[in-house]
Amino acid sequence: MRPNKLRTLLAQDTPIVNAWLSIPSGYVAEGAGHQGFDSVTVDLQHGLIGFETAVSMLQAISATEAVPLVRSPSKAPEVIMHLLDAGAYGVICPMISTPEEAAAFVAACRYPPQGSRSFGPARGKLYGGPDYFEAANAEILAIPMIETAEAVDRIEAILAVPGVDMIYVGPNDLALDLGEGPGAEWHPRATTDAIAHVLDRARAAGVATGIFCGDGALSRQRLAEGFDLVTPGNDFNLLMGAMSAAIAETRRP
Ligand SMILES: O=C([O-])C(=O)C[C@H](O)[C@@H](O)C(=O)[O-]
């Protein structure tokens, strides 16, 4: 099976930069994949993307060097399995707050006997190769999102769940659950303290860490703090920022 390059980068302790797609477009996905990101995530939770468009986007990413990931729209096992069948090499799953939820999520990502993934690797096999079934459990990444106060309280138990390859912090939802506003990871204490605690516990447990960041500057900071994977903003916001900058430059007196 095609090796999962993210596992190699993690083993080498090489920082991973991940793109985040909310625009429902194979064209944007292909372009993002050619920009030098290590992985590209198709976001089916908040991105305006349905399953069939996600398949086209995964195909487009597969034409590049970037590893195709998805954020699933929910914890539903059948949805997670379907996205893996579509060729995702890793799933970022929102709102995992307990070790039981983490175990159920990992099970959806693994074929028996390690899990309960149903067989039918449609595009997974085209992208991964003919031995997909034999090797998928070892290559596919299961990445629960830590984005609630309960998940922070129970972080050590979640990290101890076998098969959790990485945890991914959602700072905006975490801030909301802690009574702060989106973007709070820059300033107020509760969210910054919670993120630092999760990072510290994950590093102690030897579990890789990822985090969504608003931009490149915060991504650099998070890598310096010790996160393994960062996402420097989503496609739409980056595009709008580039448009605004172009207009401002054009109209500069
Ligand atoms: O809670 C979070 O920060 C996330 O789930 C990541 C971001 O919100 C992401 O979805 C976004 O804003 O595009």
Side-chain angles (χ1 to χ4, degrees):
M1 179 169 163
R2 182 200 298 255
N4 191 330
K5 197 173 67 185
L6 296 190
R7 287 194 180 277
T8 310
L9 295 175
L10 288 171
Q12 295 168 342
D13 216 11
T14 304
I16 296 170
V17 188
N18 170 63
W20 198 263
L21 303 183
S22 65
I23 301 171
S25 162
Y27 182 39
V28 171
E30 188 176 6
H34 282 299
Q35 297 313 306
F37 291 102
D38 302 299
S39 53
V40 175
T41 299
V42 179
D43 177 16
L44 288 95
Q45 186 194 18
H46 290 303
L48 306 181
I49 299 167
F51 179 78
E52 284 168 21
T53 304
V55 175
S56 302
M57 294 171 74
L58 290 169
Q59 288 172 314
I61 298 163
S62 301
T64 76
E65 293 293 313
V67 177
L69 303 179
V70 292
R71 173 162 72 172
S72 58
S74 72
K75 292 175 270 206
E78 66 275 16
V79 173
I80 290 163
M81 294 179 200
H82 207 189
L83 289 166
L84 290 172
D85 291 343
Y89 249 38
V91 179
I92 298 172
C93 183
M95 295 290 173
I96 297 291
S97 295
T98 68
E100 294 78 14
E101 288 175 348
F105 164 56
V106 171
C109 296
R110 308 277 188 254
Y111 289 121
Q114 285 103 317
S116 54
R117 183 179 169 191
S118 172
F119 184 75
R123 243 208 102 244
K125 197 169 175 173
L126 293 179
Y127 177 68
D131 58 343
Y132 181 90
F133 171 70
E134 289 77 15
N137 283 359
E139 296 296 341
I140 300 297
L141 289 164
I143 309 173
M145 284 193 76
I146 304 301
E147 50 185 352
T148 63
E150 185 180 11
V152 175
D153 287 345
R154 306 192 67 185
I155 190 63
E156 282 167 338
I158 292 171
L159 291 164
V161 171
V164 168
D165 296 305
M166 178 189 294
I167 51 108
Y168 186 89
V169 177
N172 293 314
D173 277 311
L174 180 56
L176 288 182
D177 208 36
L178 292 170
E180 300 178 336
E185 75 269 27
W186 286 101
H187 303 297
R189 292 217 52 85
T191 306
T192 48
D193 287 353
I195 292 171
H197 175 67
V198 168
L199 176 63
D200 177 69
R201 292 300 79 209
R203 285 171 69 85
V207 175
T209 51
I211 186 165
F212 188 88
C213 306
D215 58 25
L218 186 53
S219 293
R220 282 179 69 86
Q221 179 187 316
R222 293 301 188 198
L223 289 176
E225 289 169 9
F227 279 93
D228 300 292
L229 177 149
V230 292
T231 305
N234 77 26
D235 54 355
F236 185 79
N237 290 339
L238 291 170
L239 179 60
M240 293 305 114
M243 286 181 167
S244 301
I247 291 171
E249 175 62 16
T250 305
R251 293 194 173 142
R252 193 156 54 90

